[in-house]
Amino acid sequence: MRKRKESILGMAFFGPALVLLTLFLFLPMLLTFIFSFTDYFALNPEMTHFVGLENYKNIFQDELFIQSFLNTVKFVLIIVPFQCGGALILALAINRAVHCKKYFKIAFFVPVVMSLAVVSTLWMDIYSPEGILNTLLTQWGIDAQPFIYSAKQALPSIAVMSVWQGVGYQMIIFLGGLQNINPALYEAAEMDHASQWQKFKDITLPELKPLCVFVFITVTIGAFRMLVQPMVMTGGGPDHSTYTLVYNIYETGTVNWEMGLASTMAIIFTVFVVILTIIQNKFTGDKEGRHVNKKTKKN
């Protein structure tokens, strides 16, 4: 009787969450998968037909989809090394700082908690022809640059802004990992007269490997999901140079109302996320497994 009451009480707490998850997560996921095999048009749902794999064939023959995918890959290739590397460098610098550690943590983390729409609007003013950045370049004898108003510079400019906005979050993660490294390892290395580079290569990086994999995967997934920045700053232009995969899904589904095609794009995007998650679990699982084996042998 007591177990039954505990089960009822547990379901009373879990039930509402399950209903919300079903309505706003599981059901939309199921409908997205089903719609990807139809020509569902939101303004005329009665005329929906099952088309099989036709959407998937058409997607990979669509030049705009291919361009949006390539733009997304370019953005990922730019932002991942700079954001991950920048976060690690900042964490190392703050970890070695003697004074004002809290100030530097707050200063670099503040952009993370700001709305992306607000940050994008701010950087639009910075990148404008009369903005502070072009003013500084002119004073240094460099010609003013078009930045987000140029097809060649728009995507790298948005990437720079995204790195500035998000690097503080990864910095905090790396900083926590650095502070958890056993100081005895560095003391032993100093007794062997190891250089700073050797300590970084042989101690810091191996100890931070699980965090490095985690940060790499999360930054990559976040970069694939880029939407707000080009929507606010460039509208996907100039000449679709900042038109990303998620932006394409958004416009196809909510502007053109082609829910079938948008669902197909969403499924393709999900495949990338799943693959990256599997890679993350493999690397971190292997690392954790080795740590467990080492501890078991020691014991």
Side-chain angles (χ1 to χ4, degrees):
M1 191 68 181
R2 183 180 177 182
K3 289 184 178 180
R4 185 178 179 183
K5 288 182 179 180
E6 289 178 351
S7 299
I8 294 174
L9 183 62
M11 287 302 299
F13 283 104
F14 178 68
L18 181 61
V19 171
L20 292 175
L21 283 172
T22 302
L23 289 176
F24 297 105
L25 181 63
F26 301 134
L27 185 59
M29 288 172 61
L30 177 62
L31 290 176
T32 299
F33 181 75
I34 294 172
F35 289 158
S36 69
F37 298 102
T38 69
D39 59 356
Y40 180 54
F41 185 63
L43 298 181
N44 193 9
E46 295 82 6
M47 299 298 294
T48 300
H49 300 92
F50 179 78
V51 295
L53 297 175
E54 185 177 343
N55 284 339
Y56 291 90
K57 294 178 182 178
N58 293 335
I59 283 295
F60 288 104
Q61 295 174 355
D62 183 5
E63 293 183 1
L64 188 56
F65 174 80
I66 294 173
Q67 184 176 357
S68 66
F69 176 78
L70 292 177
N71 289 339
T72 305
V73 172
K74 289 178 185 177
F75 181 78
V76 171
L77 292 177
I78 294 172
I79 197 173
V80 169
F82 284 100
Q83 188 159 326
C84 295
L88 182 57
I89 292 171
L90 287 176
L92 289 169
I94 293 176
N95 192 52
R96 292 176 62 88
V98 180
H99 305 290
C100 302
K101 278 190 177 183
K102 290 184 179 180
Y103 168 78
F104 288 119
K105 289 180 185 178
I106 294 172
F108 288 115
F109 192 75
V110 163
V112 177
V113 299
M114 294 176 63
S115 166
L116 261 178
V118 174
V119 173
S120 299
T121 304
L122 171 66
W123 277 78
M124 283 181 67
D125 292 333
I126 294 174
Y127 282 142
S128 68
E130 299 82 18
I132 185 172
L133 190 53
N134 272 322
T135 301
L136 291 174
L137 292 176
T138 304
Q139 290 180 352
W140 294 338
I142 303 174
D143 294 336
Q145 301 296 315
F147 294 117
I148 58 175
Y149 303 100
S150 165
K152 292 183 178 180
Q153 297 184 11
L155 194 64
S157 299
I158 292 178
V160 170
M161 183 274 289
S162 300
V163 170
W164 175 86
Q165 191 271 337
V167 72
Y169 179 75
Q170 285 76 34
M171 177 203 71
I172 294 296
I173 295 175
F174 279 130
L175 195 57
L178 288 171
Q179 293 173 352
N180 284 329
I181 297 176
N182 189 350
L185 297 174
Y186 293 107
E187 293 173 3
E190 288 175 359
M191 292 177 64
D192 292 336
H193 305 288
S195 64
Q196 291 294 329
W197 167 249
Q198 288 173 326
K199 287 190 284 187
F200 174 75
K201 177 174 64 74
D202 298 329
I203 299 174
T204 305
L205 275 183
E207 291 295 318
L208 290 180
K209 184 179 178 182
L211 284 181
C212 288
V213 174
F214 171 76
V215 168
F216 173 80
I217 298 298
T218 53
V219 171
T220 303
I221 293 173
F224 268 109
R225 293 170 51 242
M226 181 180 69
L227 171 64
V228 177
Q229 302 97 308
M231 182 186 294
V232 174
M233 300 178 72
T234 62
D239 196 24
H240 292 105
S241 60
T242 58
Y243 199 68
T244 63
L245 187 57
V246 176
Y247 198 178
N248 197 355
I249 295 172
Y250 164 78
E251 284 217 327
T252 303
T254 62
V255 178
N256 300 331
W257 300 104
E258 296 176 300
M259 299 300 294
L261 283 175
S263 298
T264 305
M265 295 178 189
I267 294 295
I268 294 172
F269 172 74
T270 303
V271 170
F272 282 103
V273 175
V274 170
I275 291 173
L276 292 174
T277 304
I278 291 173
I279 294 172
Q280 177 193 13
N281 290 336
K282 183 179 184 305
F283 277 93
T284 56
D286 290 346
K287 183 67 178 180
E288 290 172 0
R290 286 195 291 270
H291 276 301
V292 171
N293 291 334
K294 287 180 181 179
K295 289 181 179 179
T296 304
K297 290 179 180 179
K298 288 180 181 180
N299 294 335

